Amino acid sequence: MKSAFDLSFRYKIPLWGSLLIVTTALAVSASLMLLDYDDLKEDLLISSSNLGRTLAKTLFFPLQLDDVWRASEIIKAPLKEPSVDNALQPEAIVVLDKAMRVVVSTSPRTIPMLTGLRQLGLEYAALAARIAESRGGDSQTIDLPESLQLYVVTPIADEGDFLGTLVIVYSKDMLLQRFYRAAWRAGLMGFLVLAVLLPINWYWGQRLSRPLLLLADRMGSLDRSSAIKIEPGIYAYQDELGRLFGAYRRMLVEQERKKALELQMMQSERLAAVGRLAAGMAHEINNPLGGILTAIDTLKVFGDADPRTAKTIALIERGLFQIRDTVGGLLVEARMKSKDLEPQDIEDVRSLVLPQARKKGLRVNWSASLAQSLPLQASLVRQILINLLLNAIHAADSKGLVACSVELDGGDLRLSVENDGKLLTPDQMAHLFEPFSPLSEDGHGLGLWMTYQIVQQLGGAISVECDNGRMRFSVTLPFGAGV
Amino acid sequence: MNWPMLRFGNWRFGLGFGWLLLATSLSVWGAQNLRPLRIGLPHVLMDRQYVLAADWRQYLQNRLHRPVEFVIRRKDSDTTDQLRLQNLDFAWSSDYPYVHFKRRLRLVAVPLYQGRPSFRSYLIVPAADDQTTSLLQLKRMVFAYVDPYSTGGYLDPRHELWMAGEDERQFFSKTFFTWSNRAVVEAVAQGLAAGGAVDGFVWDSLAKTHPDLTGQTRVVAQSLEYGAAPVIANRSISADDFRALQRVLLGMARDPEGVALLKRLNLDGFVPGNAKLYARTAEMMKSIGEE
């Protein structure tokens, strides 16, 4: 069974709110009702003891004169206007003499004159006992257990002359009825309050839970490959929730950056491994190859070969030269010292590639801000720039665009070459710098490999990106003491 | 002994009734410098008929050409006392005081009810009581009287018990006075008393104006006739004043305005009357030893 606490906030917030509102409404209504009941009882006690005292005072002389009719008129007066609504109106009034016999009552048929109070039934007998106990006091209220009536008893006495007792009978039923009416009103008010508050609470709960649900959804998508971005403005407030949204956004950026870094590292490691393998193999091949070539050279000079053999030897020699070239291409050695890079070197590269570009009718944007010589090996930088530019010219559309920029950025030299034309897929870009690239339609596919190796050996970085319909290669080369 | 008769003389207890002094337009008679004529009215008969009393007073003022004051006391005995103390010039009173104090009072006029100058006493019980047929069946019950000076509401039923050989002081378990005929009807209607005695004239009048009240009672028996409540004068009153009021009262039946008032009073008129009318009352008093 699903626990209520596992419910979605969409339901939990409004439900808790509703529970709180209903509980409050009930508590307030109930306390109002109880207050009302207490007030009513208090009112009854005050007004009845007032009535009792007034009547008792007025009744003294008629009782002394045995003027029964006058006494009857006096006790009938409070009952004159029978209004159903008035719980404070007595049900009956009885005047008793010293011997607790009825002198007169407002209901002579049921409480006839001269009858002893004890003869009027068990309840009146109990009442008589209570009156006898407390004779002589002030007005008092007698609430007999299990009785439907409330009795207010007042002695009729003046200056110590005790003539009898006045009993005012109130119906508890009337009190209860009035209480029920008050309770009904309080209940109705409570219901109205609920009718207003509950929809507001529901709306508020929905509003509050919506961003929470959204965030929970997005967080759930984090461990999947396609984490969903949160559009800015979906929650524009700077409260805790707003901070959570901000944190989520930052986490997403961090995650993407981490992924890209991992990818890049994997690539670099692969390329480094390939580089080590290639270099090792090149050395292994170069050593015997050098011996073979020397032997063939000796054979050509000193060998006495017939023309057919000589032709074969020449064939072998050409093949071996090709192997040496290829292996040499793989083995990029940047250690040989050449002169520093001069602005003229950049101009030379421009002069070299411009004819090729013109052949294809390309527009070349050239921007070079180099004004002094830099402690970078001029030949290597030239090779990098030529490789990249030739690739760009080759890849650009006919009558397209090739741009090159060379600039200084603090201790770095930045080269950037871009071209329009067909863009590479992410998969192609992942294997771009590997040797024998399948992308190379005519060369042996070692151009970018070599460029990469040179940049690595110079302690720089090379990256490629597709942006705005253009391919851009960026190279950063540090210069100075370290190189 | 718990007999109210012993206490009725305590006239100081006006208990809320006191003097009913109705405003007089002194400007008219001020010039003539005439003393207002003070007339007592019977509370036993006129209970809660103050508008009628005011109209009647205005009528008398107009006819007598002098201011008139009506005085209503709760108890007949108070009216009698005021008459004796000469605080009143005239009084419409139950017949009882007249018989009591014949030597000091003069008979001015006697009302005519149903063409006769006499009333009867009704014995009434609650309408729910369909068993009782005579006063003697109400033994050891609570009984309501009107006023110790009322013939129909006190003297007559006591006389009847005396005739039957009963001791009135022991016959009922409890008796009380309501000080008005109408209140006896109410007390019986409410069940406060098991029976009551009233002037038949008032019960009949109430049956016309308040049938819902009289409907809650049942008339069990009617007494023999006795002299109707007379209008009496203090002996000290001047002959002119005496004749003037007598003339106006007797003339009411011949005057449309007077006739309208008589109709509201449920009377046919006033006649001079004589002491013989009250012979039965005197006899009853004598027989129960109350003279």
Side-chain angles (χ1 to χ4, degrees):
Chain A
M1 199 180 101
K2 196 173 173 172
S3 160
F5 293 96
D6 291 339
L7 274 175
S8 160
F9 267 114
R10 189 187 305 168
Y11 308 111
K12 211 150 54 173
I13 294 176
L15 278 180
W16 277 117
S18 303
L19 196 70
L20 208 65
I21 290 171
V22 169
T23 311
T24 310
L26 283 179
V28 169
S29 292
S31 56
L32 280 179
M33 285 178 209
L34 284 178
L35 270 180
D36 198 72
Y37 187 73
D38 277 355
D39 281 357
L40 195 63
K41 205 158 177 184
E42 185 99 335
D43 281 357
L44 180 72
L45 293 185
I46 291 172
S47 90
S48 59
S49 52
N50 282 345
L51 179 65
R53 273 192 284 271
T54 310
L55 286 183
K57 211 168 199 169
T58 323
L59 280 167
F60 186 81
F61 273 126
L63 224 55
Q64 201 174 44
L65 300 176
D66 196 29
D67 193 342
V68 172
W69 180 249
R70 188 95 197 102
S72 161
E73 282 182 320
I74 290 168
I75 61 170
K76 268 187 292 184
L79 276 70
K80 268 281 155 60
E81 282 155 40
S83 72
V84 197
D85 222 34
N86 195 359
L88 302 183
Q89 177 149 318
E91 195 176 64
I93 300 178
V94 182
V95 178
L96 303 171
D97 63 10
K98 285 181 204 171
M100 260 192 263
R101 287 185 314 162
V102 177
V103 175
V104 68
S105 82
T106 50
S107 319
R109 286 183 218 281
T110 49
I111 309 173
M113 224 181 260
L114 302 178
T115 323
L117 191 61
R118 290 181 184 85
Q119 275 90 62
L120 285 170
L122 285 175
E123 190 168 324
Y124 282 105
L127 179 66
R130 291 282 296 271
I131 295 173
E133 273 170 31
S134 60
R135 177 161 287 179
D138 190 22
S139 181
Q140 59 159 331
T141 306
I142 295 177
D143 190 354
L144 295 172
E146 289 177 32
S147 166
L148 293 173
Q149 268 84 30
L150 207 64
Y151 301 94
V152 177
V153 174
T154 316
I156 303 171
D158 196 11
E159 304 265 334
D161 185 7
F162 176 77
L163 294 184
T165 309
L166 172 76
V167 179
I168 307 178
V169 185
Y170 290 96
S171 161
K172 280 186 198 166
D173 205 37
M174 293 264 264
L175 202 65
L176 273 180
Q177 270 178 22
R178 187 158 145 186
F179 170 67
Y180 289 145
R181 272 198 299 279
W184 165 246
R185 279 199 299 272
L188 200 69
M189 279 310 291
F191 178 77
L192 283 178
V193 167
L194 288 186
V196 173
L197 286 189
L198 283 183
I200 293 177
N201 166 63
W202 194 262
Y203 170 76
W204 171 80
Q206 292 292 322
R207 204 186 143 90
L208 197 68
S209 62
R210 202 177 302 131
L212 261 179
L213 295 176
L214 197 75
L215 194 64
D217 265 3
R218 299 294 191 268
M219 294 287 273
S221 75
L222 262 187
D223 47 1
R224 293 200 297 271
S225 55
S226 55
I228 306 163
K229 276 211 178 93
I230 289 183
E231 306 76 26
I234 207 162
Y235 194 83
Y237 312 107
Q238 287 306 310
D239 53 10
E240 287 77 5
L241 211 54
R243 274 151 56 192
L244 268 179
F245 272 99
Y248 176 79
R249 255 180 236 117
R250 282 195 300 279
M251 199 157 72
L252 213 61
V253 169
E254 204 60 46
Q255 200 187 24
E256 273 171 9
R257 192 183 296 163
K258 196 177 135 206
K259 258 188 202 164
L261 203 65
E262 273 171 4
L263 204 69
Q264 204 182 335
M265 272 178 68
M266 243 162 63
Q267 239 168 344
S268 319
E269 271 170 27
R270 195 170 63 221
L271 286 173
V274 172
R276 280 193 302 276
L277 180 71
M281 279 185 60
H283 278 294
E284 291 307 315
I285 292 169
N286 267 350
N287 285 342
L289 195 62
I292 296 170
L293 282 174
T294 310
I296 287 177
D297 202 36
T298 311
L299 191 65
K300 268 164 64 182
V301 176
F302 301 106
D304 191 11
D306 53 53
R308 195 172 165 177
T309 309
K311 198 179 172 186
T312 306
I313 287 170
L315 196 68
I316 292 169
E317 195 181 26
R318 279 201 304 280
L320 289 173
F321 274 133
Q322 194 180 346
I323 291 172
R324 196 186 62 181
D325 284 353
T326 304
V327 169
L330 269 175
L331 191 66
V332 181
E333 283 289 356
R335 288 198 186 87
M336 51 186 170
K337 187 75 185 161
S338 74
K339 66 177 186 69
D340 284 355
L341 182 70
E342 299 283 343
Q344 188 55 48
D345 289 317
I346 309 298
E347 272 310 302
D348 288 349
V349 173
R350 189 186 178 192
S351 311
L352 273 168
V353 298
L354 265 182
Q356 303 269 345
R358 282 207 193 96
K359 217 185 275 174
K360 230 178 150 181
L362 298 174
R363 191 154 51 88
V364 178
N365 284 352
W366 195 269
S367 150
S369 60
L370 203 59
Q372 67 208 41
S373 69
L374 292 177
L376 281 169
Q377 295 188 45
S379 58
L380 294 178
V381 175
R382 284 170 64 138
Q383 197 178 348
I384 291 169
L385 210 50
I386 289 168
N387 275 354
L388 292 178
L389 278 168
L390 289 178
N391 273 349
I393 289 164
H394 183 76
D397 282 341
S398 179
K399 296 198 169 50
L401 174 90
V402 166
C404 172
S405 96
V406 178
E407 59 192 16
L408 282 176
D409 180 16
D412 295 336
L413 176 71
R414 288 187 184 281
L415 311 176
S416 160
V417 175
E418 57 182 76
N419 64 275
D420 58 2
K422 210 170 83 183
L423 300 180
L424 296 176
T425 63
D427 190 50
Q428 287 172 328
M429 270 158 68
H431 300 279
L432 199 60
F433 297 111
E434 288 170 19
F436 311 111
S437 167
L439 292 175
S440 174
E441 285 158 19
D442 29 18
H444 40 48
L446 283 173
L448 278 175
W449 158 256
M450 282 171 66
T451 310
Y452 182 84
Q453 294 296 326
I454 292 167
V455 171
Q456 287 290 311
Q457 283 173 29
L458 289 178
I462 181 164
S463 67
V464 61
E465 56 190 336
C466 290
D467 179 35
N468 221 0
R470 293 182 185 183
M471 291 292 301
R472 182 191 297 123
F473 286 86
S474 307
V475 176
T476 307
L477 297 173
F479 56 85
V483 181
Chain B
M1 200 156 98
N2 192 22
W3 195 17
M5 190 64 194
L6 292 174
R7 285 177 179 149
F8 96 93
N10 195 350
W11 53 270
R12 275 168 295 189
F13 295 112
L15 286 175
F17 280 83
W19 301 96
L20 182 71
L21 295 173
L22 298 169
T24 48
S25 27
L26 289 168
S27 56
V28 177
W29 301 285
Q32 295 168 291
N33 203 18
L34 281 171
R35 186 178 61 83
L37 217 49
R38 291 168 62 83
I39 303 174
L41 281 193
H43 172 66
V44 291
L45 300 178
M46 299 292 288
D47 187 9
R48 280 177 264 177
Q49 300 204 64
Y50 308 115
V51 177
L52 174 57
D55 292 347
W56 196 13
R57 185 184 67 94
Q58 190 60 50
Y59 174 83
L60 293 179
Q61 281 186 160
N62 294 346
R63 293 296 182 273
L64 292 167
H65 305 291
R66 64 180 296 176
V68 170
E69 278 178 18
F70 271 177
V71 178
I72 297 181
R73 284 302 190 88
R74 185 179 177 225
K75 299 176 181 178
D76 251 8
S77 57
D78 289 346
T79 309
T80 313
D81 286 341
Q82 294 299 310
L83 207 56
R84 280 167 55 203
L85 294 169
Q86 305 196 355
N87 281 337
L88 292 176
D89 302 313
F90 299 94
W92 186 22
S93 172
S94 77
D95 46 4
Y96 224 119
Y98 168 64
V99 179
H100 257 298
F101 309 108
K102 235 183 305 203
R103 275 169 238 99
R104 298 188 199 172
L105 306 168
R106 291 173 65 192
L107 190 59
V108 181
V110 179
L112 274 181
Y113 176 60
Q114 293 179 336
R116 298 183 60 79
S118 53
F119 290 165
R120 287 170 195 273
S121 170
Y122 285 2
L123 171 66
I124 56 169
V125 293
D129 171 8
D130 52 4
Q131 302 295 317
T132 308
T133 53
S134 89
L135 182 63
L136 294 175
Q137 284 173 278
L138 293 176
K139 194 169 175 122
R140 278 189 282 283
M141 301 275 204
V142 178
F143 197 81
Y145 289 130
V146 176
D147 187 292
Y149 271 0
S150 162
T151 309
Y154 187 52
L155 182 60
D156 196 87
R158 284 198 305 157
H159 180 255
E160 199 182 327
L161 288 176
W162 176 82
M163 295 269 283
E166 295 280 356
D167 179 358
E168 178 268 340
R169 283 171 290 183
Q170 320 236 311
F171 184 76
F172 299 114
S173 66
K174 168 95 184 169
T175 61
F176 62 89
F177 294 105
T178 66
W179 313 104
S180 102
N181 282 283
R182 179 176 174 155
V184 167
V185 180
E186 286 173 358
V188 171
Q190 288 161 16
L192 197 63
V198 289
D199 271 325
F201 153 67
V202 176
W203 195 93
D204 291 341
S205 307
L206 280 173
K208 285 181 183 169
T209 55
H210 297 84
D212 48 330
L213 174 61
T214 52
Q216 297 175 57
T217 62
R218 182 170 66 89
V219 178
V220 170
Q222 298 189 7
S223 75
L224 296 172
E225 287 186 336
Y226 50 86
V231 178
I232 46 180
N234 202 316
R235 285 258 176 205
S236 62
I237 204 81
S238 75
D240 284 348
D241 286 348
F242 182 89
R243 275 197 299 274
L245 182 66
Q246 194 176 45
R247 184 174 39 79
V248 170
L249 287 177
L250 299 186
M252 277 180 80
R254 294 188 297 275
D255 161 20
E257 213 181 320
V259 169
L261 274 171
L262 285 171
K263 200 174 173 191
R264 286 165 69 189
L265 285 162
N266 199 26
L267 293 173
D268 299 323
F270 286 90
V271 291
N274 57 59
K276 276 184 206 163
L277 276 172
Y278 302 97
R280 181 165 179 261
T281 305
E283 201 181 305
M284 285 193 286
M285 282 170 65
K286 202 173 178 181
S287 32
I288 61 168
E290 241 188 51
E291 205 173 11

